[in-house]
């Protein structure tokens, strides 16, 4: 399934090859990127992208974080869900509901769930650091939102990327703020059954335990100080055909692979050390046609 979670905040993109590149594989200089879409004035801070498997529609979240004077007070424009056509035309589909206690929304990573609805990471950390981030479900009728939004998960710190695999919903948490650590982030694993039911009339919203004590926070990775002073942890996440998860720290550039044994236990491995060659990992995408991972 063609799924990806990536952000648009950094324009430079580098490719990490999963196999050796020969001289013959070097990029042809005549192939240059072209600007695909220009955002409307009310969408000045896009973040997450995903493509619907059945229709090929490209959905985009626009939290508009950069519309606040001095990073305080209300945003210039609310967070919205948009659709991007093959002609580059951007259409607003939905304005996300705000969290009552903050009056804000921080729609970031998103992916289409197996139920045909969009699941969105709502990052409230920029407004309140006390475990206010959520996962939202945007109910869809095909490619169009019905207007109803349900709260699936509450109690995350800095909900960032979101990815569905065959058996679980994965959410990255970029700022766990664990005592005694320079920085730390991780991955939340929610089973398919609990995630699909949570927040519906049949089941209450999942409320996770704080401070890294919840068993669904399966992966925790530290952030190193690489002279950037950035404590931000795990950001984007992608999956390869063998089920391996890849992603890295925004604050230090460490890149990780998460693999599963026969019993389903997950183990994280560092495959790129912090601060070597690059010092920031943002969005990440696996391209099966070239068998390569692309990073922001």
């Amino acid at each position: 399934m063609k799924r990806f979670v990536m952000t648009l905040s950094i324009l430079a993109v580098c490719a990490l090859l999963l196999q050796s590149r020969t001289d013959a594989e070097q990029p042809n200089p005549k192939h240059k990127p072209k600007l695909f879409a220009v955002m409307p004035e009310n969408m000045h801070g896009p973040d997450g992208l995903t493509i619907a498997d059945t229709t090929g529609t490209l959905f985009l979240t626009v939290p508009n974080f950069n519309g606040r004077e001095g990073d305080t007070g209300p945003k210039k424009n609310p967070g919205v869900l948009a659709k991007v056509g093959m002609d580059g035309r951007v259409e607003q589909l939905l304005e996300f509901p705000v969290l009552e206690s903050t009056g804000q929304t921080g729609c970031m990573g998103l992916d289409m769930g197996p139920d045909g609805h969009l699941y969105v990471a709502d990052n409230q950390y920029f407004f309140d650091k006390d475990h206010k981030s959520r996962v939202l479900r945007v109910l869809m009728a095909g490619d169009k939102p019905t207007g109803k939004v349900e709260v699936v998960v509450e109690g995350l710190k800095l909900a960032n990327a979101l990815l569905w695999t065959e058996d679980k919903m994965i959410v990255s948490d970029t700022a766990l703020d664990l005592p005694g650590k320079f920085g730390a982030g991780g991955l939340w694993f929610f089973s398919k059954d609990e995630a699909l039911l949570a927040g519906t009339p049949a089941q209450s919203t999942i409320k996770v335990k704080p401070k890294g004590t919840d068993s669904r926070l399966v992966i925790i990775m530290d952030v190193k100080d690489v002279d950037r002073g950035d404590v931000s942890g795990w950001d984007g996440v992608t999956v390869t055909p063998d089920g391996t998860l890849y992603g890295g720290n925004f604050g230090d550039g460490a890149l990780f692979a998460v693999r599963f044994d026969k019993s389903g236990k997950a183990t994280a491995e560092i495959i790129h050390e912090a601060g070597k060659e690059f010092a920031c990992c943002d969005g990440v995408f696996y391209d099966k046609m070239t068998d390569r991972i692309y990073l922001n």
Side-chain angles (χ1 to χ4, degrees):
M1 296 185 296
K2 188 173 182 181
R3 299 243 170 117
F4 65 89
V5 181
M6 63 182 299
T7 58
L8 302 180
S9 59
I10 301 174
L11 297 181
V13 178
C14 60
L16 291 183
L17 309 188
L18 298 186
Q19 68 262 352
S20 298
R21 172 185 275 184
T22 66
D23 291 340
E25 293 177 298
Q26 293 298 325
N28 189 321
K30 73 178 182 179
H31 299 308
K32 295 181 179 180
K34 297 179 181 178
L35 183 63
F36 176 60
V38 177
M39 309 301 294
E41 288 187 5
N42 69 314
M43 301 185 196
H44 43 81
D47 189 89
L49 294 167
T50 194
I51 293 178
D53 291 331
T54 54
T55 63
T57 300
L58 193 159
F59 294 103
L60 169 72
T61 56
V62 189
N64 287 325
F65 288 129
N66 60 349
R68 299 194 301 153
E69 290 292 334
D71 287 336
T72 62
K75 293 189 292 186
K76 179 180 178 181
N77 295 107
V80 300
L81 175 69
K83 179 174 72 173
V84 184
M86 292 304 296
D87 58 358
R89 188 171 65 91
V90 182
E91 174 187 352
Q92 179 173 321
L93 299 177
L94 176 83
E95 182 177 316
F96 283 96
V98 301
L99 178 64
E100 185 176 355
S101 65
T102 65
Q104 303 278 10
T105 182
C107 49
M108 294 183 70
L110 76 165
D111 201 5
M112 188 72 71
D115 53 2
H117 302 310
L118 278 172
Y119 289 73
V120 182
D122 177 21
N123 168 27
Q124 293 285 337
Y125 187 85
F126 297 159
F127 316 117
D128 188 334
K129 294 179 171 58
D130 189 19
H131 301 88
K132 299 298 185 183
S133 290
R134 310 178 292 174
V135 173
L136 306 177
R137 179 190 296 114
V138 178
L139 298 188
M140 304 291 289
D143 277 353
K144 295 182 178 180
T146 65
K148 186 174 182 180
V149 178
E150 298 171 333
V151 181
V152 181
V153 181
E154 293 179 330
L156 307 178
K157 284 288 283 184
L158 198 168
N160 196 329
L162 190 148
L163 175 71
W164 270 97
T165 65
E166 291 184 0
D167 63 344
K168 64 178 67 70
M169 181 180 72
I170 301 165
V171 183
S172 70
D173 206 323
T174 306
L176 294 174
D177 295 339
L178 299 179
K181 294 183 179 294
F182 171 75
L187 294 179
W188 293 88
F189 291 177
F190 300 94
S191 72
K192 178 180 177 180
D193 291 340
E194 68 173 339
L196 291 180
L197 280 176
T200 68
Q203 190 73 35
S204 60
T205 296
I206 298 169
K207 300 181 188 299
V208 301
K209 297 177 182 178
K211 301 179 181 179
T213 60
D214 197 297
S215 61
R216 286 167 290 206
L217 183 60
V218 176
I219 303 296
I220 298 177
M221 304 300 288
D222 290 350
V223 181
K224 294 183 179 180
D225 188 353
V226 292
D227 297 327
R228 291 184 61 220
D230 194 327
V231 300
S232 303
W234 199 303
D235 196 294
V237 62
T238 192
V239 63
T240 53
D242 65 354
T244 302
L245 302 173
Y246 289 90
N249 286 340
F250 186 92
D252 63 17
L255 184 68
F256 312 113
V258 177
R259 298 183 174 89
F260 300 85
D261 62 19
K262 292 182 180 180
S263 68
K265 181 180 179 181
T267 303
E269 171 192 0
I270 297 177
I271 59 174
H272 179 276
E273 293 290 340
K276 292 186 178 180
E277 295 186 29
F278 51 87
C280 180
C281 286
D282 198 334
V284 58
F285 169 57
Y286 170 74
D287 175 35
K288 64 181 179 181
M289 294 184 66
T290 58
D291 196 28
R292 294 174 181 172
I293 288 175
Y294 293 86
L295 297 173
N296 280 350

